[in-house]
Amino acid sequence: AVPHLRRAGHQALLRFRYAEAAQMLAQAGSLSSAGGDRTAAFDLYFDAADAAASLGEPQRLADLVDRLDALADDAPRIARAALVRSVFSIELGRYEAALEVAQRGLAPAREAGLVEIESELLYAIGVAHWEQREIASAIAHVEPALALRRALPASAQGPEHLSTLITVVQALGAMQ
């Protein structure tokens, strides 16, 4: 059941059917966890959280955040769980909490060599600062986030990368 749910969940993601993807991937994660496969469970919950975050519905993320935290037992997982929790905190308007958890996730991301996650954490810090009207701090975190993203291979730079670039450029007033 897990391979089928994983495949169907990823297919739903490719079709931008985020609610369906989140549900199937979370279900596959639960089955993997029940079967004792913590690594697969974490990866599936992370993918489910990514889909849920795309919906902009924080309540969908709440359960996944707790599940990821419970499975985060090494640097890569700690960094990825921190990213999800920081996004969740931003969605709830808890910017100080988002800053704290994203900053805590930076060292494990760097230790694990997860450049994409490090970039996303820096971006989350920038967003949290931006929402608190701390513009200089926002820029100080978003610029290195974008520099890290630009250094990634093209295959790692999906449509959300372009959207992020456009949003930041517009926010900084660089576009006319």
Side-chain angles (χ1 to χ4, degrees):
V2 171
H4 172 73
L5 285 168
R6 175 187 290 125
R7 193 170 32 260
H10 287 133
Q11 287 296 319
L13 275 176
L14 293 174
R15 292 184 178 94
F16 304 103
R17 296 188 337 229
Y18 298 117
E20 186 180 328
Q23 180 182 354
M24 285 188 279
L25 292 166
Q27 186 178 2
S30 293
L31 291 171
S32 293
S33 182
D37 190 346
R38 294 173 58 86
T39 300
F42 185 92
D43 291 342
L44 289 160
Y45 288 143
F46 185 80
D47 289 348
D50 186 36
S54 296
L55 294 168
E57 299 174 6
Q59 68 276 8
R60 286 186 184 259
L61 276 175
D63 182 50
L64 295 168
V65 166
D66 292 336
R67 291 175 188 223
L68 286 167
D69 283 345
L71 294 169
D73 57 4
D74 62 6
R77 289 188 196 120
I78 290 168
R80 292 167 68 202
L83 174 59
V84 174
R85 184 164 288 283
S86 67
V87 168
F88 176 63
S89 296
I90 288 169
E91 296 265 339
L92 294 177
R94 298 178 183 160
Y95 305 119
E96 285 300 321
L99 284 169
E100 181 182 319
V101 73
Q103 288 169 339
R104 265 197 335 257
L106 283 173
R110 290 174 179 143
E111 176 186 326
L114 299 174
V115 176
E116 186 174 2
I117 299 298
E118 179 184 355
S119 171
E120 294 293 332
L121 287 165
L122 286 167
Y123 181 72
I125 292 168
V127 168
H129 281 299
W130 181 267
E131 292 294 337
Q132 295 180 94
R133 307 298 184 250
E134 299 166 352
I135 307 307
S137 292
I139 293 168
H141 287 89
V142 170
E143 286 179 342
L146 293 175
L148 287 171
R149 290 295 260 175
R150 280 191 293 269
L152 290 172
S155 62
Q157 296 183 19
E160 69 280 356
H161 174 66
L162 180 58
S163 174
T164 298
L165 281 173
I166 291 169
T167 301
V168 170
V169 169
Q170 286 175 330
L172 297 177
M175 290 183 74
Q176 307 264 331

